[in-house]
Amino acid sequence: MSGAYRKYPATYVPTGYDLETGLESVGRGWEELVRRAFEALPEGHTIVQVKEKFGSLRIYFEPNERAYEDLLDELASESLTICEVCGNPGRLRTDRYWQRTLCDEHAFRR
């Protein structure tokens, strides 16, 4: 749970992502991973953020549930093998302190 919930539980309303917003938050290459996360979302839970961080897919949700968190960890690991841009096989690459998971074609395109 977020700090806002713990401090003001009676007034906290989580702002959740819907599937469309989640898909817009990362490259189309990770579309299938994001869809799988939304399809498996337990009832009564909310996805509060979808993003790329340190080259992998990150999805945050509330309230915490270990089984779903394990699935999201698996999706994050899988994202490190898929080009975020196109969905082809990719790998983590670093360019001037920025990390992204890209295929050869998109890694060398400037």
Short mmCIF file of all heavy atoms in Angstrom, two decimals, residues 10-73:
data_model
loop_
_atom_site.label_atom_id
_atom_site.label_comp_id
_atom_site.label_asym_id
_atom_site.label_seq_id
_atom_site.Cartn_x
_atom_site.Cartn_y
_atom_site.Cartn_z
N ALA A 10 -9.12 6.57 5.18
CA ALA A 10 -10.53 6.87 4.91
C ALA A 10 -10.71 7.76 3.68
O ALA A 10 -11.76 7.76 3.06
CB ALA A 10 -11.17 7.53 6.12
N THR A 11 -9.68 8.50 3.30
CA THR A 11 -9.80 9.44 2.18
C THR A 11 -9.02 9.00 0.95
O THR A 11 -9.12 9.63 -0.09
CB THR A 11 -9.30 10.83 2.59
OG1 THR A 11 -7.92 10.74 2.96
CG2 THR A 11 -10.11 11.38 3.75
N TYR A 12 -8.26 7.93 1.05
CA TYR A 12 -7.41 7.51 -0.07
C TYR A 12 -8.22 6.80 -1.14
O TYR A 12 -8.96 5.87 -0.87
CB TYR A 12 -6.30 6.59 0.43
CG TYR A 12 -5.40 6.12 -0.67
CD1 TYR A 12 -4.50 6.98 -1.28
CD2 TYR A 12 -5.46 4.81 -1.12
CE1 TYR A 12 -3.67 6.55 -2.29
CE2 TYR A 12 -4.63 4.37 -2.14
CZ TYR A 12 -3.74 5.24 -2.72
OH TYR A 12 -2.93 4.82 -3.71
N VAL A 13 -8.10 7.27 -2.37
CA VAL A 13 -8.73 6.62 -3.51
C VAL A 13 -7.63 6.36 -4.54
O VAL A 13 -7.07 7.30 -5.10
CB VAL A 13 -9.83 7.51 -4.13
CG1 VAL A 13 -10.43 6.82 -5.35
CG2 VAL A 13 -10.89 7.84 -3.11
N PRO A 14 -7.27 5.07 -4.78
CA PRO A 14 -6.20 4.81 -5.73
C PRO A 14 -6.62 5.20 -7.14
O PRO A 14 -7.77 5.02 -7.53
CB PRO A 14 -5.99 3.30 -5.63
CG PRO A 14 -7.25 2.76 -5.07
CD PRO A 14 -7.84 3.85 -4.24
N THR A 15 -5.70 5.81 -7.86
CA THR A 15 -5.96 6.11 -9.26
C THR A 15 -5.35 4.99 -10.07
O THR A 15 -4.14 4.80 -10.07
CB THR A 15 -5.34 7.47 -9.64
OG1 THR A 15 -3.95 7.43 -9.34
CG2 THR A 15 -5.99 8.60 -8.90
N GLY A 16 -6.18 4.24 -10.71
CA GLY A 16 -5.72 3.06 -11.41
C GLY A 16 -5.57 3.26 -12.90
O GLY A 16 -6.15 4.16 -13.49
N TYR A 17 -4.76 2.39 -13.48
CA TYR A 17 -4.58 2.35 -14.92
C TYR A 17 -5.61 1.38 -15.49
O TYR A 17 -5.87 0.33 -14.91
CB TYR A 17 -3.21 1.81 -15.28
CG TYR A 17 -2.07 2.81 -15.23
CD1 TYR A 17 -1.97 3.76 -14.22
CD2 TYR A 17 -1.08 2.77 -16.18
CE1 TYR A 17 -0.91 4.64 -14.18
CE2 TYR A 17 -0.01 3.64 -16.15
CZ TYR A 17 0.07 4.58 -15.15
OH TYR A 17 1.12 5.45 -15.11
N ASP A 18 -6.16 1.72 -16.65
CA ASP A 18 -6.91 0.73 -17.39
C ASP A 18 -5.95 0.13 -18.43
O ASP A 18 -4.80 0.57 -18.55
CB ASP A 18 -8.15 1.34 -18.03
CG ASP A 18 -7.85 2.47 -19.00
OD1 ASP A 18 -6.68 2.69 -19.36
OD2 ASP A 18 -8.80 3.16 -19.41
N LEU A 19 -6.40 -0.87 -19.16
CA LEU A 19 -5.52 -1.55 -20.11
C LEU A 19 -4.97 -0.57 -21.14
O LEU A 19 -3.77 -0.59 -21.44
CB LEU A 19 -6.26 -2.69 -20.81
CG LEU A 19 -5.47 -3.43 -21.89
CD1 LEU A 19 -4.20 -4.04 -21.32
CD2 LEU A 19 -6.34 -4.50 -22.53
N GLU A 20 -5.80 0.31 -21.67
CA GLU A 20 -5.35 1.25 -22.69
C GLU A 20 -4.23 2.15 -22.18
O GLU A 20 -3.22 2.35 -22.84
CB GLU A 20 -6.53 2.10 -23.15
CG GLU A 20 -6.18 3.05 -24.28
CD GLU A 20 -7.38 3.86 -24.74
OE1 GLU A 20 -8.52 3.38 -24.63
OE2 GLU A 20 -7.16 4.99 -25.22
N THR A 21 -4.38 2.67 -20.98
CA THR A 21 -3.35 3.53 -20.38
C THR A 21 -2.08 2.73 -20.14
O THR A 21 -0.97 3.21 -20.37
CB THR A 21 -3.85 4.15 -19.07
OG1 THR A 21 -5.06 4.85 -19.33
CG2 THR A 21 -2.84 5.11 -18.48
N GLY A 22 -2.23 1.49 -19.67
CA GLY A 22 -1.06 0.64 -19.46
C GLY A 22 -0.30 0.38 -20.74
O GLY A 22 0.94 0.43 -20.77
N LEU A 23 -1.03 0.13 -21.83
CA LEU A 23 -0.38 -0.13 -23.12
C LEU A 23 0.31 1.12 -23.65
O LEU A 23 1.36 1.02 -24.29
CB LEU A 23 -1.40 -0.63 -24.14
CG LEU A 23 -1.97 -2.02 -23.86
CD1 LEU A 23 -3.10 -2.34 -24.84
CD2 LEU A 23 -0.88 -3.08 -23.93
N GLU A 24 -0.23 2.29 -23.38
CA GLU A 24 0.38 3.54 -23.84
C GLU A 24 1.63 3.89 -23.04
O GLU A 24 2.42 4.72 -23.48
CB GLU A 24 -0.63 4.69 -23.72
CG GLU A 24 -1.77 4.59 -24.70
CD GLU A 24 -2.85 5.63 -24.45
OE1 GLU A 24 -2.76 6.38 -23.44
OE2 GLU A 24 -3.79 5.69 -25.25
N SER A 25 1.84 3.26 -21.91
CA SER A 25 2.94 3.61 -21.01
C SER A 25 4.26 2.98 -21.39
O SER A 25 5.31 3.39 -20.88
CB SER A 25 2.58 3.20 -19.58
OG SER A 25 1.40 3.87 -19.17
N VAL A 26 4.23 1.95 -22.24
CA VAL A 26 5.46 1.28 -22.67
C VAL A 26 5.37 1.03 -24.17
O VAL A 26 4.32 1.22 -24.79
CB VAL A 26 5.69 -0.05 -21.92
CG1 VAL A 26 5.96 0.20 -20.44
CG2 VAL A 26 4.52 -1.00 -22.09
N GLY A 27 6.47 0.57 -24.75
CA GLY A 27 6.50 0.30 -26.18
C GLY A 27 5.59 -0.85 -26.57
O GLY A 27 5.27 -1.72 -25.77
N ARG A 28 5.20 -0.89 -27.85
CA ARG A 28 4.26 -1.91 -28.31
C ARG A 28 4.84 -3.31 -28.28
O ARG A 28 4.11 -4.29 -28.30
CB ARG A 28 3.73 -1.57 -29.70
CG ARG A 28 4.72 -1.69 -30.81
CD ARG A 28 4.06 -1.39 -32.16
NE ARG A 28 5.02 -1.54 -33.22
CZ ARG A 28 5.26 -2.69 -33.86
NH1 ARG A 28 4.58 -3.75 -33.55
NH2 ARG A 28 6.19 -2.75 -34.79
N GLY A 29 6.15 -3.43 -28.18
CA GLY A 29 6.78 -4.74 -28.09
C GLY A 29 6.42 -5.49 -26.82
O GLY A 29 6.47 -6.72 -26.77
N TRP A 30 6.04 -4.77 -25.78
CA TRP A 30 5.67 -5.40 -24.51
C TRP A 30 4.16 -5.50 -24.34
O TRP A 30 3.67 -5.80 -23.25
CB TRP A 30 6.27 -4.63 -23.35
CG TRP A 30 7.75 -4.80 -23.23
CD1 TRP A 30 8.55 -5.70 -23.87
CD2 TRP A 30 8.62 -4.03 -22.39
NE1 TRP A 30 9.86 -5.54 -23.50
CE2 TRP A 30 9.93 -4.52 -22.58
CE3 TRP A 30 8.42 -2.99 -21.51
CZ2 TRP A 30 11.03 -4.00 -21.92
CZ3 TRP A 30 9.51 -2.47 -20.84
CH2 TRP A 30 10.80 -2.97 -21.05
N GLU A 31 3.40 -5.26 -25.40
CA GLU A 31 1.95 -5.27 -25.33
C GLU A 31 1.41 -6.58 -24.74
O GLU A 31 0.54 -6.55 -23.88
CB GLU A 31 1.35 -5.05 -26.72
CG GLU A 31 -0.15 -5.04 -26.74
CD GLU A 31 -0.72 -4.75 -28.12
OE1 GLU A 31 -0.19 -3.88 -28.82
OE2 GLU A 31 -1.71 -5.41 -28.47
N GLU A 32 1.91 -7.71 -25.20
CA GLU A 32 1.42 -9.01 -24.72
C GLU A 32 1.68 -9.17 -23.22
O GLU A 32 0.83 -9.69 -22.49
CB GLU A 32 2.06 -10.15 -25.50
CG GLU A 32 1.62 -11.53 -25.05
CD GLU A 32 0.11 -11.77 -25.17
OE1 GLU A 32 -0.53 -11.18 -26.04
OE2 GLU A 32 -0.43 -12.55 -24.35
N LEU A 33 2.81 -8.71 -22.73
CA LEU A 33 3.12 -8.81 -21.31
C LEU A 33 2.14 -7.97 -20.48
O LEU A 33 1.65 -8.43 -19.44
CB LEU A 33 4.56 -8.36 -21.04
CG LEU A 33 5.66 -9.15 -21.74
CD1 LEU A 33 7.02 -8.50 -21.47
CD2 LEU A 33 5.65 -10.60 -21.32
N VAL A 34 1.86 -6.77 -20.94
CA VAL A 34 0.93 -5.89 -20.23
C VAL A 34 -0.47 -6.50 -20.23
O VAL A 34 -1.16 -6.51 -19.21
CB VAL A 34 0.93 -4.47 -20.84
CG1 VAL A 34 -0.15 -3.60 -20.20
CG2 VAL A 34 2.31 -3.83 -20.67
N ARG A 35 -0.87 -7.04 -21.36
CA ARG A 35 -2.20 -7.68 -21.44
C ARG A 35 -2.30 -8.85 -20.45
O ARG A 35 -3.32 -9.02 -19.78
CB ARG A 35 -2.48 -8.18 -22.85
CG ARG A 35 -2.82 -7.09 -23.83
CD ARG A 35 -3.22 -7.66 -25.20
NE ARG A 35 -3.37 -6.61 -26.16
CZ ARG A 35 -4.43 -5.81 -26.25
NH1 ARG A 35 -5.44 -5.97 -25.41
NH2 ARG A 35 -4.50 -4.87 -27.17
N ARG A 36 -1.25 -9.65 -20.37
CA ARG A 36 -1.26 -10.78 -19.43
C ARG A 36 -1.39 -10.30 -17.99
O ARG A 36 -2.09 -10.91 -17.18
CB ARG A 36 0.00 -11.62 -19.61
CG ARG A 36 -0.08 -12.46 -20.87
CD ARG A 36 1.15 -13.20 -21.28
NE ARG A 36 2.03 -13.68 -20.24
CZ ARG A 36 3.31 -13.95 -20.45
NH1 ARG A 36 3.86 -13.80 -21.63
NH2 ARG A 36 4.05 -14.40 -19.46
N ALA A 37 -0.73 -9.19 -17.65
CA ALA A 37 -0.83 -8.65 -16.30
C ALA A 37 -2.26 -8.21 -16.00
O ALA A 37 -2.78 -8.49 -14.91
CB ALA A 37 0.14 -7.47 -16.14
N PHE A 38 -2.89 -7.54 -16.95
CA PHE A 38 -4.27 -7.09 -16.72
C PHE A 38 -5.24 -8.26 -16.67
O PHE A 38 -6.17 -8.25 -15.87
CB PHE A 38 -4.69 -6.08 -17.79
CG PHE A 38 -4.32 -4.67 -17.44
CD1 PHE A 38 -3.08 -4.15 -17.80
CD2 PHE A 38 -5.18 -3.85 -16.74
CE1 PHE A 38 -2.72 -2.86 -17.48
CE2 PHE A 38 -4.84 -2.55 -16.41
CZ PHE A 38 -3.60 -2.05 -16.78
N GLU A 39 -5.03 -9.27 -17.49
CA GLU A 39 -5.92 -10.44 -17.49
C GLU A 39 -5.85 -11.20 -16.16
O GLU A 39 -6.83 -11.77 -15.72
CB GLU A 39 -5.57 -11.37 -18.65
CG GLU A 39 -5.97 -10.82 -20.00
CD GLU A 39 -5.42 -11.63 -21.17
OE1 GLU A 39 -4.75 -12.67 -20.94
OE2 GLU A 39 -5.65 -11.21 -22.31
N ALA A 40 -4.68 -11.21 -15.53
CA ALA A 40 -4.49 -11.96 -14.29
C ALA A 40 -4.75 -11.12 -13.04
O ALA A 40 -4.65 -11.65 -11.93
CB ALA A 40 -3.07 -12.52 -14.25
N LEU A 41 -5.08 -9.84 -13.20
CA LEU A 41 -5.28 -8.96 -12.06
C LEU A 41 -6.38 -9.50 -11.15
O LEU A 41 -7.51 -9.72 -11.60
CB LEU A 41 -5.66 -7.55 -12.54
CG LEU A 41 -5.83 -6.48 -11.47
CD1 LEU A 41 -4.49 -6.19 -10.79
CD2 LEU A 41 -6.39 -5.21 -12.10
N PRO A 42 -6.07 -9.77 -9.89
CA PRO A 42 -7.09 -10.30 -8.97
C PRO A 42 -8.22 -9.29 -8.77
O PRO A 42 -8.00 -8.07 -8.78
CB PRO A 42 -6.33 -10.52 -7.66
CG PRO A 42 -4.89 -10.56 -8.05
CD PRO A 42 -4.76 -9.68 -9.24
N GLU A 43 -9.41 -9.80 -8.56
CA GLU A 43 -10.56 -8.94 -8.32
C GLU A 43 -10.31 -8.09 -7.08
O GLU A 43 -9.76 -8.56 -6.08
CB GLU A 43 -11.81 -9.80 -8.11
CG GLU A 43 -13.08 -8.99 -8.07
CD GLU A 43 -14.32 -9.86 -8.05
OE1 GLU A 43 -14.31 -10.93 -8.66
OE2 GLU A 43 -15.29 -9.43 -7.41
N GLY A 44 -10.70 -6.84 -7.15
CA GLY A 44 -10.52 -5.94 -6.03
C GLY A 44 -9.15 -5.28 -5.98
O GLY A 44 -8.86 -4.53 -5.05
N HIS A 45 -8.31 -5.55 -6.98
CA HIS A 45 -6.98 -4.96 -7.04
C HIS A 45 -6.94 -3.92 -8.16
O HIS A 45 -7.74 -3.98 -9.09
CB HIS A 45 -5.92 -6.03 -7.28
CG HIS A 45 -5.72 -6.92 -6.11
ND1 HIS A 45 -6.69 -7.76 -5.62
CD2 HIS A 45 -4.64 -7.11 -5.31
CE1 HIS A 45 -6.22 -8.42 -4.59
NE2 HIS A 45 -4.98 -8.05 -4.37
N THR A 46 -6.00 -3.01 -8.06
CA THR A 46 -5.85 -1.93 -9.03
C THR A 46 -4.40 -1.83 -9.46
O THR A 46 -3.51 -1.82 -8.61
CB THR A 46 -6.28 -0.59 -8.40
OG1 THR A 46 -7.62 -0.71 -7.93
CG2 THR A 46 -6.19 0.54 -9.40
N ILE A 47 -4.17 -1.75 -10.76
CA ILE A 47 -2.84 -1.44 -11.27
C ILE A 47 -2.69 0.07 -11.21
O ILE A 47 -3.51 0.80 -11.76
CB ILE A 47 -2.64 -1.99 -12.69
CG1 ILE A 47 -2.59 -3.52 -12.63
CG2 ILE A 47 -1.37 -1.40 -13.32
CD1 ILE A 47 -2.42 -4.22 -13.95
N VAL A 48 -1.66 0.53 -10.51
CA VAL A 48 -1.49 1.97 -10.30
C VAL A 48 -0.38 2.56 -11.17
O VAL A 48 -0.30 3.78 -11.29
CB VAL A 48 -1.25 2.31 -8.82
CG1 VAL A 48 -2.48 1.98 -7.99
CG2 VAL A 48 -0.03 1.61 -8.27
N GLN A 49 0.45 1.71 -11.79
CA GLN A 49 1.48 2.24 -12.67
C GLN A 49 2.04 1.13 -13.55
O GLN A 49 2.24 0.00 -13.10
CB GLN A 49 2.61 2.89 -11.87
CG GLN A 49 3.60 3.64 -12.72
CD GLN A 49 4.61 4.40 -11.88
OE1 GLN A 49 5.05 3.94 -10.85
NE2 GLN A 49 4.96 5.58 -12.34
N VAL A 50 2.29 1.49 -14.81
CA VAL A 50 2.97 0.62 -15.77
C VAL A 50 4.07 1.46 -16.38
O VAL A 50 3.81 2.58 -16.85
CB VAL A 50 2.01 0.13 -16.88
CG1 VAL A 50 2.75 -0.70 -17.91
CG2 VAL A 50 0.84 -0.65 -16.29
N LYS A 51 5.31 0.95 -16.38
CA LYS A 51 6.41 1.73 -16.94
C LYS A 51 7.61 0.84 -17.23
O LYS A 51 7.65 -0.33 -16.87
CB LYS A 51 6.83 2.83 -15.97
CG LYS A 51 7.46 2.34 -14.68
CD LYS A 51 7.81 3.53 -13.81
CE LYS A 51 8.51 3.11 -12.53
NZ LYS A 51 8.90 4.29 -11.74
N GLU A 52 8.57 1.43 -17.90
CA GLU A 52 9.88 0.81 -18.11
C GLU A 52 10.81 1.41 -17.08
O GLU A 52 10.82 2.63 -16.87
CB GLU A 52 10.38 1.11 -19.53
CG GLU A 52 11.79 0.60 -19.80
CD GLU A 52 12.87 1.56 -19.36
OE1 GLU A 52 12.67 2.79 -19.40
OE2 GLU A 52 13.94 1.10 -18.92
N LYS A 53 11.57 0.57 -16.40
CA LYS A 53 12.56 1.05 -15.44
C LYS A 53 13.76 0.13 -15.49
O LYS A 53 13.61 -1.09 -15.37
CB LYS A 53 11.96 1.08 -14.03
CG LYS A 53 12.89 1.67 -12.99
CD LYS A 53 12.18 1.83 -11.67
CE LYS A 53 13.10 2.48 -10.65
NZ LYS A 53 12.43 2.66 -9.37
N PHE A 54 14.94 0.72 -15.67
CA PHE A 54 16.18 -0.04 -15.78
C PHE A 54 16.08 -1.12 -16.85
O PHE A 54 16.62 -2.21 -16.71
CB PHE A 54 16.59 -0.63 -14.44
CG PHE A 54 16.81 0.40 -13.37
CD1 PHE A 54 16.07 0.38 -12.20
CD2 PHE A 54 17.75 1.40 -13.53
CE1 PHE A 54 16.27 1.33 -11.21
CE2 PHE A 54 17.94 2.36 -12.56
CZ PHE A 54 17.21 2.33 -11.40
N GLY A 55 15.35 -0.82 -17.92
CA GLY A 55 15.27 -1.73 -19.07
C GLY A 55 14.23 -2.82 -18.98
O GLY A 55 14.11 -3.62 -19.90
N SER A 56 13.48 -2.88 -17.88
CA SER A 56 12.48 -3.94 -17.78
C SER A 56 11.10 -3.36 -17.50
O SER A 56 10.96 -2.21 -17.10
CB SER A 56 12.85 -4.95 -16.68
OG SER A 56 12.68 -4.40 -15.41
N LEU A 57 10.09 -4.17 -17.73
CA LEU A 57 8.71 -3.78 -17.50
C LEU A 57 8.45 -3.78 -16.00
O LEU A 57 8.77 -4.74 -15.30
CB LEU A 57 7.77 -4.78 -18.18
CG LEU A 57 6.28 -4.61 -17.93
CD1 LEU A 57 5.78 -3.30 -18.54
CD2 LEU A 57 5.52 -5.80 -18.52
N ARG A 58 7.86 -2.69 -15.51
CA ARG A 58 7.49 -2.61 -14.10
C ARG A 58 6.01 -2.30 -14.01
O ARG A 58 5.52 -1.38 -14.67
CB ARG A 58 8.26 -1.52 -13.37
CG ARG A 58 9.77 -1.68 -13.41
CD ARG A 58 10.24 -2.92 -12.65
NE ARG A 58 11.65 -3.13 -12.82
CZ ARG A 58 12.60 -2.70 -11.99
NH1 ARG A 58 12.26 -2.03 -10.92
NH2 ARG A 58 13.85 -2.95 -12.24
N ILE A 59 5.31 -3.08 -13.21
CA ILE A 59 3.89 -2.88 -13.00
C ILE A 59 3.66 -2.87 -11.49
O ILE A 59 4.07 -3.79 -10.79
CB ILE A 59 3.05 -3.97 -13.67
CG1 ILE A 59 3.29 -3.95 -15.19
CG2 ILE A 59 1.57 -3.80 -13.34
CD1 ILE A 59 2.62 -5.06 -15.95
N TYR A 60 3.02 -1.80 -11.02
CA TYR A 60 2.75 -1.66 -9.60
C TYR A 60 1.24 -1.73 -9.37
O TYR A 60 0.46 -1.24 -10.19
CB TYR A 60 3.30 -0.32 -9.09
CG TYR A 60 4.79 -0.20 -9.31
CD1 TYR A 60 5.30 0.49 -10.41
CD2 TYR A 60 5.69 -0.81 -8.45
CE1 TYR A 60 6.67 0.59 -10.63
CE2 TYR A 60 7.06 -0.72 -8.66
CZ TYR A 60 7.54 -0.02 -9.76
OH TYR A 60 8.89 0.07 -9.97
N PHE A 61 0.85 -2.33 -8.26
CA PHE A 61 -0.57 -2.55 -8.00
C PHE A 61 -0.85 -2.43 -6.52
O PHE A 61 0.05 -2.44 -5.68
CB PHE A 61 -0.99 -3.93 -8.52
CG PHE A 61 -0.43 -5.08 -7.72
CD1 PHE A 61 -1.21 -5.74 -6.79
CD2 PHE A 61 0.89 -5.48 -7.87
CE1 PHE A 61 -0.69 -6.78 -6.04
CE2 PHE A 61 1.42 -6.51 -7.13
CZ PHE A 61 0.63 -7.17 -6.21
N GLU A 62 -2.13 -2.33 -6.20
CA GLU A 62 -2.60 -2.27 -4.81
C GLU A 62 -3.87 -3.10 -4.70
O GLU A 62 -4.64 -3.15 -5.65
CB GLU A 62 -2.92 -0.82 -4.41
CG GLU A 62 -1.70 0.05 -4.34
CD GLU A 62 -2.06 1.48 -3.95
OE1 GLU A 62 -3.24 1.86 -4.04
OE2 GLU A 62 -1.16 2.20 -3.56
N PRO A 63 -4.21 -3.65 -3.59
CA PRO A 63 -3.34 -3.94 -2.45
C PRO A 63 -2.40 -5.09 -2.77
O PRO A 63 -2.59 -5.80 -3.76
CB PRO A 63 -4.33 -4.32 -1.35
CG PRO A 63 -5.51 -4.89 -2.05
CD PRO A 63 -5.58 -4.16 -3.37
N ASN A 64 -1.42 -5.27 -1.94
CA ASN A 64 -0.38 -6.28 -2.18
C ASN A 64 -0.95 -7.69 -2.09
O ASN A 64 -1.74 -8.00 -1.21
CB ASN A 64 0.75 -6.09 -1.17
CG ASN A 64 1.98 -6.89 -1.56
OD1 ASN A 64 2.16 -7.23 -2.72
ND2 ASN A 64 2.80 -7.19 -0.59
N GLU A 65 -0.53 -8.53 -3.01
CA GLU A 65 -0.87 -9.95 -2.99
C GLU A 65 0.32 -10.71 -3.55
O GLU A 65 0.73 -10.49 -4.70
CB GLU A 65 -2.12 -10.23 -3.81
CG GLU A 65 -2.51 -11.70 -3.75
CD GLU A 65 -3.84 -11.96 -4.44
OE1 GLU A 65 -4.83 -11.32 -4.09
OE2 GLU A 65 -3.83 -12.82 -5.32
N ARG A 66 0.89 -11.59 -2.76
CA ARG A 66 2.14 -12.25 -3.12
C ARG A 66 2.07 -13.02 -4.44
O ARG A 66 2.97 -12.94 -5.26
CB ARG A 66 2.57 -13.20 -1.99
CG ARG A 66 3.91 -13.82 -2.19
CD ARG A 66 4.97 -12.75 -2.14
NE ARG A 66 6.19 -13.28 -2.70
CZ ARG A 66 7.23 -12.56 -2.96
NH1 ARG A 66 7.23 -11.28 -2.70
NH2 ARG A 66 8.30 -13.09 -3.46
N ALA A 67 1.01 -13.75 -4.68
CA ALA A 67 0.92 -14.56 -5.90
C ALA A 67 0.94 -13.68 -7.15
O ALA A 67 1.61 -13.99 -8.13
CB ALA A 67 -0.34 -15.42 -5.87
N TYR A 68 0.23 -12.57 -7.10
CA TYR A 68 0.21 -11.66 -8.26
C TYR A 68 1.56 -10.96 -8.40
O TYR A 68 2.05 -10.76 -9.51
CB TYR A 68 -0.92 -10.65 -8.13
CG TYR A 68 -1.12 -9.81 -9.36
CD1 TYR A 68 -1.50 -10.38 -10.56
CD2 TYR A 68 -0.93 -8.44 -9.34
CE1 TYR A 68 -1.69 -9.62 -11.71
CE2 TYR A 68 -1.11 -7.66 -10.46
CZ TYR A 68 -1.49 -8.27 -11.65
OH TYR A 68 -1.67 -7.50 -12.77
N GLU A 69 2.17 -10.61 -7.29
CA GLU A 69 3.50 -10.00 -7.31
C GLU A 69 4.50 -10.95 -7.96
O GLU A 69 5.36 -10.52 -8.73
CB GLU A 69 3.93 -9.65 -5.89
CG GLU A 69 5.20 -8.85 -5.82
CD GLU A 69 5.51 -8.40 -4.40
OE1 GLU A 69 4.59 -8.26 -3.59
OE2 GLU A 69 6.71 -8.22 -4.12
N ASP A 70 4.40 -12.24 -7.69
CA ASP A 70 5.28 -13.23 -8.31
C ASP A 70 5.09 -13.25 -9.82
O ASP A 70 6.06 -13.34 -10.58
CB ASP A 70 5.03 -14.63 -7.73
CG ASP A 70 5.51 -14.76 -6.29
OD1 ASP A 70 6.31 -13.91 -5.84
OD2 ASP A 70 5.09 -15.72 -5.62
N LEU A 71 3.84 -13.17 -10.29
CA LEU A 71 3.57 -13.12 -11.72
C LEU A 71 4.21 -11.89 -12.35
O LEU A 71 4.84 -11.97 -13.40
CB LEU A 71 2.07 -13.12 -12.00
CG LEU A 71 1.70 -12.84 -13.46
CD1 LEU A 71 2.10 -14.00 -14.36
CD2 LEU A 71 0.24 -12.52 -13.61
N LEU A 72 4.08 -10.74 -11.70
CA LEU A 72 4.66 -9.51 -12.23
C LEU A 72 6.17 -9.58 -12.28
O LEU A 72 6.80 -9.05 -13.20
CB LEU A 72 4.19 -8.30 -11.42
CG LEU A 72 2.69 -8.01 -11.47
CD1 LEU A 72 2.37 -6.76 -10.67
CD2 LEU A 72 2.17 -7.90 -12.90
N ASP A 73 6.78 -10.25 -11.30
CA ASP A 73 8.23 -10.46 -11.33
C ASP A 73 8.63 -11.31 -12.53
O ASP A 73 9.65 -11.06 -13.18
CB ASP A 73 8.72 -11.11 -10.03
CG ASP A 73 8.68 -10.18 -8.83
OD1 ASP A 73 8.55 -8.94 -9.03
OD2 ASP A 73 8.75 -10.68 -7.70
#
